[in-house]
Amino acid sequence: MPNIKPVSDLRNYNEVLRDVAAGEPVFLTKNGRGRYAIVDIAEYERMQSVLKLMGELAKGERSGSEQGWLSLSDVESALGVSDG
């Protein structure tokens, strides 16, 4: 179950931070609406890595669509590996 607290609970920020764990963010509301999320730094770094990877994959797919895809033998030749 999500951990949801009003932003006013930040007056006792130690209690709010104690509830934050990897994979378990604390969501803060303001005027009854979701406004902020507090996440563990490890979780934040993982999300940033995933976003970067997704961006690189999208660039690769765009490049393949625009410039054409390489065959397996072309990739093996470029890497200097062979099947066999």
Side-chain angles (χ1 to χ4, degrees):
M1 176 173 278
N3 193 346
I4 302 170
K5 299 178 180 277
V7 74
S8 61
D9 279 9
L10 285 178
R11 289 184 198 117
N12 301 317
Y13 64 89
N14 283 326
E15 288 183 31
V16 174
L17 295 179
R18 200 178 353 239
D19 292 339
V20 177
E24 297 181 24
V26 172
F27 299 99
L28 300 176
T29 61
K30 187 171 183 179
N31 297 324
R33 295 206 152 132
R35 181 76 178 171
Y36 306 101
I38 301 175
V39 296
D40 179 80
I41 193 71
E43 182 74 11
Y44 174 79
E45 289 172 346
R46 187 188 73 74
M47 288 187 298
Q48 293 300 308
S49 295
V50 167
L51 288 173
K52 184 176 178 181
L53 175 61
M54 296 301 289
E56 292 298 316
L57 290 172
K59 284 195 309 192
E61 187 171 3
R62 213 171 19 255
S63 174
S65 296
E66 293 170 359
Q67 299 173 17
W69 298 94
L70 297 176
S71 68
L72 177 59
S73 61
D74 291 338
V75 172
E76 287 174 340
S77 177
L79 296 176
V81 296
S82 62
D83 188 28

